[in-house]
Each structure stands twice: as structure tokens, then as C-alpha cells.
């Protein structure tokens, strides 16, 4: 009878230890799930930040290209204005020459 009682106490102690271990493991699993969730949130935030940086880089590149195109367009416009001035000057000279009396032959 004592032997059976000892085995019963031992079995109860082992069962209690397993229950405590299961509770501890459940708590650890819960903590790990929370950590995984937090890390997923961090990864998501970092991905959004990276996408934002990529978008900003794309916009900076587009801005540089647009500025370059603008500079080229302004240079062409300046050249066109210069040519228009030259044409106006040549027209005035032509009109002046046509309005002037013919030069006497020498």
C-alpha cells in the first residue's frame, strides 16, 4: 500500500510538473506570437519606407530629366528669339536699302 501511495504521489508530481511546463510553454508561445506580429509590423513599415524612398528617388530622377528638358527648351527658345531679332534687323536693312535712292554709277 505504501508502495502504491508512493507511486501515486510520484505520478501526481509528474502530472503537476507537466501542467506547469505546459502553462509555461503556452506563455512562451504567446510571447513568441506577439513578437512575430510585432516583427511583421516592423517589416511592413520598413517596406513602406523603402517604397517611399524608391518613389522619392524616381521623382528626383524625373525632376532632373524635366529640368534638363526645360534647359534645352529654353536654349532653343533663346536661339529662336535671337534668330527672329536677326531677321527683323535684316528686313529693316533691306527696307532701308530699297527706300534709299539708287547710288550714282562711278
Amino acid at each position: 500500500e505504501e508502495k502504491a501511495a508512493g507511486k501515486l504521489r510520484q505520478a501526481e508530481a509528474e502530472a503537476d510538473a507537466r501542467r506547469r511546463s505546459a502553462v509555461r510553454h503556452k506563455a512562451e508561445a504567446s510571447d513568441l506570437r506577439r513578437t512575430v506580429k510585432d516583427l511583421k509590423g516592423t517589416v511592413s513599415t520598413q517596406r513602406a519606407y523603402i517604397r517611399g524612398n524608391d518613389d522619392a528617388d524616381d521623382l528626383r530622377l524625373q525632376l532632373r530629366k524635366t529640368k534638363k528638358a526645360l534647359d534645352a527648351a529654353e536654349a532653343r527658345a533663346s536661339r529662336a528669339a535671337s534668330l527672329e531679332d536677326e531677321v527683323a534687323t535684316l528686313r529693316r536693312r533691306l527696307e532701308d536699302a530699297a527706300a534709299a535712292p539708287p547710288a550714282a554709277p562711278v
Side-chain angles (χ1 to χ4, degrees), residues 3-46:
K3 198 174 187 183
K7 285 186 177 185
L8 179 61
R9 281 192 299 277
Q10 183 180 1
E12 287 173 345
E14 287 175 3
D16 187 51
R18 277 193 294 274
R19 273 192 298 276
R20 281 184 301 206
S21 177
V23 167
R24 189 174 61 251
H25 287 128
K26 280 184 180 180
E28 288 173 0
S30 177
D31 289 345
L32 288 172
R33 277 193 294 277
R34 192 174 313 111
T35 300
V36 166
K37 184 178 177 182
D38 292 346
L39 288 173
K40 282 182 179 179
T42 300
V43 166
S44 178
T45 300
Q46 290 299 317

Side-chain angles (χ1 to χ4, degrees), residues 55-69:
D55 290 346
D57 289 344
D58 291 346
L59 290 173
R60 280 191 282 275
L61 179 61
Q62 185 178 351
L63 178 61
R64 278 195 300 273
K65 286 180 180 179
T66 303
K67 282 183 177 179
K68 191 174 181 178

